[in-house]
Amino acid sequence: MLETSARLLRLLALLQAHRDWPGTELAGRLGVSPRTIRRDVDRLRTLGYPINAIGGVGGGYRLGAGASLPPLLLDDEEAVAVAVGLRTAADGAITGIAETSVRALAKLDQVLPSRLRYQIDTLSSAVVIIPMPGPTVDPSTLIAIASAVRNHERLRFDYVSHDGSATTRDVEPYRLVQDGRRWYLFAWDTDRSDWRRFRADRLSMRIPTGPRFGPRPLPAEDLADYFAMGPTVNGHRYRAVLTMYGSAAEVAEEVPPTLGAVEPIDDHTCTLRIGSDSLDHLAVWVAAFGFEFDVHEPPELVEHLRTLTARLQRAAWPTAGAR
């Protein structure tokens, strides 16, 4: 009985680790006959595991989805990853997930071997997560968006923009993007015939979803860089382009991707694209980065730098009547 139970656990671990398994390969892994594998699969089915037979030469098995979540078998690295993820999620940006994460973590902690609990505690004690204020997103909204992305189904939702105006949007959803604490939907807006990003906490889903659509090519291979550059540069009143006299790596150390986009020219210079609604902010930022630079656009920034330079000179070398 002990040998059979151990074999069932090993069989379950194999089924959870790989989508499709030929029956002969499972038999070889466990050192038993295909007939024994068939009996063990039947035993797992009686325990609630939805194991489907697949066709092909010799047949095989696939662990499917059931009406309820059966127990999962995790190896050491997987258990550590899940535990760390749950602790991080407790400070996340999804409504109600903190309490759920703590409950799941409590269940995991009580069955973790002491060696793994020590690893997780060591890592957690060394990591500081700074909570960020702001609105959170309902998990059902993220799940609905993710399902539409997976199934290539159009979405309709009511959306409130940053200025408070409300619109109804019809989009082809392509990705869910997490940027810091914010969740965004990246989609093709069918009414505007252009790519758009929408904050998930500002949209209210309309059910049901729309018809299926044929996916179109994404606007960039590296969607993270494309997504970061949009609000960094294009979403502001003033969009500056500068040549920085420093390597792209050196400038990128001083300019976070949420502030500007750095493009190399050669080993010693690079292009910086940066945006802001304030010329004062742009002037102070580029002057404080610590590099020599040339301004190509906008022309208003050049004049503003002259005004700021004169102001700083008066502050550094005050003279009577200078003001």
Side-chain angles (χ1 to χ4, degrees):
M1 180 63 69
L2 179 60
E3 181 181 351
T4 301
S5 299
R7 189 177 65 246
L8 287 177
L9 289 174
R10 175 61 178 155
L11 173 59
L12 182 58
L14 290 172
L15 289 170
Q16 290 179 346
H18 193 62
R19 179 170 176 80
D20 296 334
W21 281 99
T24 53
E25 187 172 350
L26 285 174
R29 290 288 189 102
L30 298 176
V32 296
S33 67
R35 182 179 179 182
T36 299
I37 292 296
R38 289 194 294 270
R39 289 200 301 264
D40 288 348
V41 166
D42 288 337
R43 291 189 181 99
L44 289 175
R45 285 169 175 162
T46 62
L47 295 174
Y49 291 93
I51 302 174
N52 303 320
I54 56 177
V57 180
Y61 302 95
R62 174 188 301 160
L63 186 62
S68 60
L69 179 67
L72 299 175
L73 294 178
L74 304 174
D75 62 28
D76 287 2
E77 291 182 353
E78 292 169 341
V80 171
V82 170
V84 172
L86 288 171
R87 294 192 180 192
T88 303
D91 293 312
I94 304 176
T95 305
I97 203 170
E99 181 182 351
T100 306
S101 299
V102 170
R103 290 203 310 269
L105 184 60
K107 293 179 180 179
L108 184 60
D109 275 346
Q110 70 181 2
V111 296
L112 281 174
S114 58
R115 69 180 188 283
L116 296 185
R117 188 179 293 110
Y118 176 77
Q119 292 180 26
I120 296 167
D121 289 342
T122 300
L123 179 59
S124 298
S125 64
V127 174
V128 176
I129 300 175
I130 301 176
M132 298 176 63
T136 57
V137 184
D138 191 284
S140 61
T141 298
L142 297 180
I143 292 172
I145 293 174
S147 298
V149 170
R150 178 194 61 200
N151 298 328
H152 305 306
E153 295 175 339
R154 282 166 58 169
L155 284 176
R156 296 185 71 242
F157 52 85
D158 298 319
Y159 190 70
V160 179
S161 64
H162 67 280
D163 61 3
S165 59
T167 55
T168 299
R169 315 302 280 265
D170 188 314
V171 305
E172 297 174 358
Y174 282 84
R175 294 291 188 274
L176 264 175
V177 181
Q178 186 181 16
D179 182 9
R181 187 178 174 85
R182 299 277 183 256
W183 285 92
Y184 294 87
L185 163 63
F186 185 70
W188 176 263
D189 192 313
T190 59
D191 293 330
R192 292 156 179 80
S193 298
D194 197 6
W195 296 101
R196 290 288 190 272
R197 66 204 77 208
F198 305 93
R199 271 181 47 174
D201 59 286
R202 290 179 175 169
L203 61 84
S204 301
M205 303 291 295
R206 291 197 172 198
I207 306 297
T209 56
R212 293 174 63 87
F213 63 89
R216 65 185 72 232
L218 291 170
E221 291 186 7
D222 192 333
L223 196 57
D225 282 349
Y226 176 88
F227 190 89
M229 185 177 294
T232 297
V233 180
N234 299 327
H236 296 288
R237 178 182 178 185
Y238 299 106
R239 297 181 291 275
V241 180
L242 308 97
T243 294
M244 307 295 290
Y245 289 90
S247 69
E250 292 171 333
V251 174
E253 285 289 328
E254 302 296 328
V255 184
T258 54
L259 191 61
V262 180
E263 304 166 7
I265 298 175
D266 53 37
D267 292 342
H268 306 290
T269 58
C270 62
T271 298
L272 173 62
R273 303 179 187 276
I274 188 169
S276 177
D277 293 330
S278 166
L279 284 173
D280 279 327
H281 289 171
L282 279 179
V284 171
W285 286 340
V286 299
F289 288 146
F291 300 93
E292 299 293 323
F293 61 90
D294 296 330
V295 178
H296 301 292
E297 55 182 85
E300 301 98 316
L301 179 58
V302 176
E303 184 60 34
H304 208 74
L305 284 169
R306 294 192 182 105
T307 301
L308 179 61
T309 300
R311 188 183 307 155
L312 292 173
Q313 286 178 334
R314 290 194 296 270
W317 295 285
T319 57
R323 292 181 177 80

